[in-house]
Amino acid sequence: MANKLIIIFFLGALSLSVSCNKSERIIKRLNSNDHYDLISGSYDAGESGDKKFMPDLLKKSDDPRVSTNLKYKGISVYQAKMIALKKIFKAEPPVEINRTPDSTVIRFYAELYEKENK
């Protein structure tokens, strides 16, 4: 019985450690200057659904740089960040998210963020 408890505790601690490392990697990518890192970090942040990434996603969100990497080919940093915010907030912006930065979409998510953090 004691061995089972030790194993369960160890697996729980390992799971928490892996989760923290992934969050740290996402934050590091979202604060990078490399557009591929920003796009992949945005994708991972959106998939996680974790609201702690919202400030980093809103920071410099009007970045028009587009990826040429096959995995994210044709996606702009702006577009990746807005799609991540859409997933996290579970809210459609008033206009379609495309490759070109749109202040209406950025303002929409910035206002949602402000309302949630009053």
Side-chain angles (χ1 to χ4, degrees):
M1 179 71 170
N3 288 341
K4 287 182 182 179
L5 288 175
I6 291 172
I7 291 171
I8 290 170
F9 177 77
F10 177 75
L11 291 175
L14 182 62
S15 174
L16 181 62
S17 173
V18 169
S19 176
C20 289
N21 288 338
K22 183 166 180 129
S23 289
E24 289 172 12
R25 268 195 318 271
I26 292 171
I27 290 170
K28 184 177 179 181
R29 286 182 183 163
L30 290 175
N31 288 292
S32 173
N33 288 322
D34 179 71
H35 65 286
Y36 176 77
D37 284 346
L38 290 165
I39 292 169
S40 65
S42 296
Y43 176 81
D44 290 340
E47 290 300 303
S48 78
D50 196 330
K51 294 184 178 195
K52 72 180 168 191
F53 299 120
M54 292 187 299
D56 291 316
L57 290 165
L58 287 166
K59 189 178 3 174
K60 299 180 184 178
S61 58
D62 62 344
D63 189 336
R65 293 180 293 166
V66 176
S67 176
T68 56
N69 181 290
L70 286 179
K71 186 172 183 179
Y72 301 109
K73 186 169 175 61
I75 297 174
S76 70
V77 173
Y78 154 79
Q79 188 176 22
K81 286 184 171 194
M82 294 303 107
I83 290 170
L85 288 167
K86 177 180 164 182
K87 289 178 180 179
I88 293 169
F89 279 114
K90 296 176 178 58
E92 286 286 333
V95 296
E96 185 179 341
I97 299 170
N98 58 39
R99 190 185 310 178
T100 308
D102 188 329
S103 62
T104 304
V105 177
I106 296 169
R107 192 169 36 255
F108 174 76
Y109 288 118
E111 288 172 1
L112 283 178
Y113 176 73
E114 289 294 319
K115 285 179 188 175
E116 277 205 7
N117 292 290
K118 278 189 174 182

